[in-house]
Amino acid sequence: VWGQDAHFYFSQFVEGVWTNDKPHVIYNVAAVDSAKSLTIEAGTRVHLHNQSLLYVRKGALHIQGTSENPVTFQGDRLEPFYKNVRGQYYGIYFEKAIPSTINHALLKNGTVGIHVFSEAPSNTGYTVDIRNTKIYNQARYGIFNYDGGKIYGENLLVYDYDLYSFFQLEGGSYNFRQCNFLSYGTDGSQPAIAIRNYFTRSDGITYIGSIPEGNIYNSVLYGSGTNQIAYDTITQGGAVTINYLFRNNLIRLDENRDSEQGFEQNFWNIDPKFQSIEDREFLFESSSILRNNADPSFTTINDIRGITRNPSSPDIGCY
């Protein structure tokens, strides 16, 4: 029998501060309600039972990990067999949330690492600000933004999932810089990111949303397959706004698209020379195209490990 003393939550509202003195275990749902907030301290371990989720509904979540003491989300099965099993729980779900932050987190073995659904009407900034975070081994998506959420992300490492590392569906905004969105799955056919601004819901109506901001800078969009971006949008004759910019990234795609609007100064189809894809070691060799080729205008001061970047010639990606 595997067992630990822990804080347990079973279908209940939560708020205040989760400390790192003991693990926190969620059964079914732990919910942050309207206008409430939950802060999770550095070094805290959160375990979720089968199909469980941390649900932030019109409230705020603040995960305050550090490079030395990240906050970890994983399943509640501690046997070695479950070490790398996907879909052990759902994930972190934001519905119409007020501004929330995630810093230095490890999100593994779930279904969707971070799911953002719309946002509070009062929000003027980003719904969720995600930094210095690893999201991996998810059964569906790393990050899923649906119906109007706004996401900012920097220094993210997202890999190993069944569908997409980032999925934008039915409108919303995103701004990513210095991130690695990677697709080295079992068959290698899935793209790293997918952007689609329409969706036919269960009522049979096709809903179409705007993408006011869709920027990805200094990032790695790479994997086994030849097409790491899937883009499918409808503008309704100009009635819907679609803005996107891929700038100074390393991208694997069927052809160089820098002659098209929305693509600028990217590097195309060049092996990033990761140390070991098989072992999921995504540091890169000194001869990599990622070295010294980021645009300083869109870079971050530190990388995902807290190491200071070269301000005049930084590297592309989260390392």
Side-chain angles (χ1 to χ4, degrees):
V1 175
W2 280 262
Q4 295 185 43
D5 187 20
H7 302 285
F8 291 92
Y9 310 91
F10 182 85
S11 299
Q12 67 187 76
F13 292 108
V14 294
E15 60 180 293
V17 179
W18 282 6
T19 59
N20 61 15
D21 59 332
K22 294 186 290 188
H24 296 255
V25 183
I26 299 173
Y27 287 89
N28 193 20
V29 60
V32 183
D33 202 10
S34 178
K36 304 294 185 180
S37 69
L38 174 66
T39 298
I40 302 180
E41 288 185 343
T44 300
R45 290 179 294 148
V46 182
H47 297 265
L48 298 95
H49 192 61
N50 184 34
Q51 299 185 9
S52 296
L53 69 157
L54 178 57
Y55 178 42
V56 184
R57 182 183 181 276
K58 300 182 179 180
L61 173 67
H62 300 290
I63 295 177
Q64 299 179 337
T66 65
S67 56
E68 299 81 11
N69 292 292
V71 173
T72 302
F73 279 72
Q74 64 185 73
D76 66 343
R77 298 299 296 266
L78 306 182
E79 303 95 316
F81 173 81
Y82 288 92
K83 181 179 179 180
N84 295 307
V85 175
R86 301 179 185 180
Q88 295 181 46
Y89 61 97
Y90 188 76
I92 304 175
Y93 191 118
F94 295 90
E95 180 178 354
K96 300 179 180 178
I98 57 179
S100 297
T101 57
I102 298 173
N103 194 19
H104 285 292
L106 302 177
L107 313 178
K108 60 182 180 179
N109 301 341
T111 301
V112 178
I114 298 170
H115 184 158
V116 180
F117 172 34
S118 192
E119 68 167 359
S122 61
N123 284 0
T124 57
Y126 292 102
T127 315
V128 185
D129 183 312
I130 315 164
R131 307 185 187 215
N132 309 305
T133 291
K134 297 180 181 179
I135 306 172
Y136 59 98
N137 210 42
Q138 303 292 327
R140 293 185 67 80
Y141 314 111
I143 301 172
F144 180 26
N145 190 28
Y146 174 58
D147 190 27
K150 296 197 288 285
I151 297 176
Y152 176 85
E154 63 179 48
N155 290 333
L156 307 183
L157 175 59
V158 190
Y159 65 96
D160 284 355
Y161 43 83
D162 286 348
L163 292 176
Y164 313 116
S165 62
F166 173 62
F167 186 26
Q168 172 67 62
L169 181 64
E170 200 192 302
S173 294
Y174 55 91
N175 185 338
F176 295 113
R177 53 192 69 196
Q178 304 288 165
C179 297
N180 287 19
F181 293 114
L182 307 177
S183 178
Y184 293 103
T186 54
D187 62 3
S189 64
Q190 291 297 109
I193 67 171
I195 312 298
R196 185 179 183 184
N197 75 320
Y198 65 93
F199 179 63
T200 302
R201 300 186 189 179
S202 57
D203 58 10
I205 299 174
T206 298
Y207 293 83
I208 305 172
S210 293
I211 302 178
E213 180 184 43
N215 301 331
I216 300 181
Y217 306 107
N218 290 342
S219 295
V220 185
L221 313 177
Y222 217 86
S224 304
T226 56
N227 288 290
Q228 294 303 316
I229 301 174
Y231 215 94
D232 182 11
T233 58
I234 297 173
T235 61
Q236 284 189 311
V240 172
T241 300
I242 304 292
N243 292 316
Y244 64 93
L245 177 60
F246 295 85
R247 179 166 178 173
N248 227 93
N249 307 289
L250 172 61
I251 302 174
R252 186 169 188 183
L253 208 60
D254 54 355
E255 60 182 349
N256 185 320
R257 301 286 181 87
D258 271 355
S259 60
E260 300 180 12
Q261 183 177 358
F263 293 90
E264 297 178 359
Q265 303 174 24
N266 297 288
F267 299 90
W268 298 91
N269 304 315
I270 304 171
D271 183 355
K273 296 186 178 180
F274 293 128
Q275 287 187 355
S276 175
I277 294 170
E278 181 180 352
D279 295 328
R280 299 313 194 236
E281 294 291 344
F282 296 115
L283 293 168
F284 53 86
E285 298 175 5
S286 59
S287 59
S288 171
I289 190 68
L290 304 179
R291 187 175 178 85
N292 303 133
N293 276 319
D295 185 336
S297 303
F298 302 100
T299 195
T300 60
I301 297 175
N302 299 321
D303 78 348
I304 191 172
R305 300 164 296 176
I307 295 175
T308 302
R309 297 182 185 274
N310 184 327
S312 59
S313 55
D315 300 328
I316 295 173
C318 64
Y319 289 111

